[in-house]
């Protein structure tokens, strides 16, 4: 586990990348959310901002958060340049220390993995509590190692969606697991290479 401060680490990661003019949304987001009515969304670990911009274009009011000030600044500029400045609020949060204020109809966390210390279970549990009744928490995790993944440890184990749900220990009278699946797709890495990868998809709905 790296001891580098999270903001310094992720600022370095984003600063080393060429800014995307129109970043793509994650495939699992578009599959899961396309039929939902727009509302208030929270994007945890927004990165380049593809998910936030996609949601905003479909009428969602999006709070997009990242630990990296570089990512937040870039997304703020991108949203304005695409005419979505009123629909996307980008905020910097170290989720181990602070969590965005508000109640949401959708919280999404795509590949919220880090080589740094983060109590991810607590973050995702907090996200579930931030849902309004009827709202959904979408967690998409890596289920395999891509050739371009930062973690190439051959011994790494990816918890199943059901295991992630069990760790959250949410009251089944209040939250319902709607999907818990391992799905395959062909992904394209930052250098243009393609590979078949596994996504672990967990969708939880707050019922009351």
């Amino acid at each position: 586990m790296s001891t580098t401060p999270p903001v310094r680490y992720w600022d370095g990661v984003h600063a080393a990348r060429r800014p995307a003019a129109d970043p793509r949304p994650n495939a699992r987001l578009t599959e899961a959310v396309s039929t939902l009515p727009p509302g208030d969304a929270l994007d945890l670990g927004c990165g380049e901002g593809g998910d936030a911009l996609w949601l905003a274009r479909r009428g969602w009011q999006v709070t997009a958060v990242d630990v990296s000030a570089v990512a937040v600044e870039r997304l703020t500029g991108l949203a304005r340049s695409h005419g979505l400045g009123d629909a996307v609020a980008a905020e910097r949060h170290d989720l181990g220390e602070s969590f965005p204020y508000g109640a949401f109809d959708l919280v999404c966390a795509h590949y919220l993995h880090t080589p740094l210390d983060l109590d991810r279970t607590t973050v995702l549990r907090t996200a579930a509590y931030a849902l309004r009744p009827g709202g959904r928490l979408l967690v998409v995790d890596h289920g395999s190692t891509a050739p371009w993944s930062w973690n190439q440890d051959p011994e790494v184990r990816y918890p199943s969606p059901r295991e992630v749900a069990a760790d959250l220990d949410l009251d089944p009278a209040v939250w319902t697991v709607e999907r818990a699946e391992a799905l395959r797709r062909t992904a394209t890495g930052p250098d243009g290479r393609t590979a078949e990868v596994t996504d672990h998809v967990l969708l939880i709905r707050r019922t009351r």
Side-chain angles (χ1 to χ4, degrees):
M1 190 73 69
S2 173
T3 59
T4 304
V7 64
R8 184 189 304 168
Y9 177 87
W10 288 109
D11 273 351
V13 169
H14 286 284
R17 294 175 179 169
R18 183 176 181 178
D22 194 7
R24 294 175 300 174
N26 282 296
R28 302 306 178 196
L29 175 76
T30 62
E31 293 171 358
V33 177
S34 291
T35 60
L36 298 182
D40 294 310
L42 174 61
D43 182 10
L44 298 177
C46 63
E48 292 184 325
D51 290 350
L53 296 175
W54 184 88
L55 287 166
R57 288 182 176 121
R58 281 150 184 80
W60 292 82
Q61 289 290 318
V62 185
T63 300
V65 304
D66 203 281
V67 69
S68 168
V70 174
V72 167
E73 181 179 354
R74 285 180 177 176
L75 178 53
T76 298
L78 267 181
R80 289 173 180 163
S81 70
H82 288 281
L84 299 169
D86 291 338
V88 177
E91 302 178 2
R92 198 193 78 77
H93 286 270
D94 180 340
L95 293 171
E97 299 179 357
S98 65
F99 196 88
Y101 175 79
F104 302 95
D105 304 293
L106 172 70
V107 180
C108 51
H110 280 77
Y111 313 112
L112 194 63
H113 307 289
T114 176
L116 310 175
D117 188 27
L118 176 68
D119 186 351
R120 207 180 78 114
T121 298
T122 296
V123 171
L124 295 178
R125 189 180 297 119
T126 302
Y129 276 91
L131 292 171
R132 294 188 179 111
R136 289 172 171 85
L137 170 63
L138 174 64
V139 182
V140 181
D141 290 335
H142 293 302
S144 64
T145 301
W148 52 83
S149 297
W150 54 262
N151 186 356
Q152 293 293 324
D153 181 356
E155 301 299 321
V156 68
R157 181 182 178 278
Y158 299 98
S160 71
R162 288 287 178 185
E163 289 174 312
V164 173
D167 284 343
L168 296 182
D169 194 26
L170 297 170
D171 184 350
V174 181
W175 291 272
T176 299
V177 174
E178 290 191 326
R179 290 178 63 191
E181 301 175 275
L183 303 173
R184 303 285 291 178
R185 66 182 173 90
T186 299
T188 302
D191 58 359
R193 284 183 295 171
T194 61
E196 189 176 47
V197 299
T198 299
D199 292 322
H200 286 171
V201 180
L202 175 65
L203 186 65
I204 295 175
R205 182 172 180 265
R206 183 166 189 168
T207 56
R208 61 179 176 85

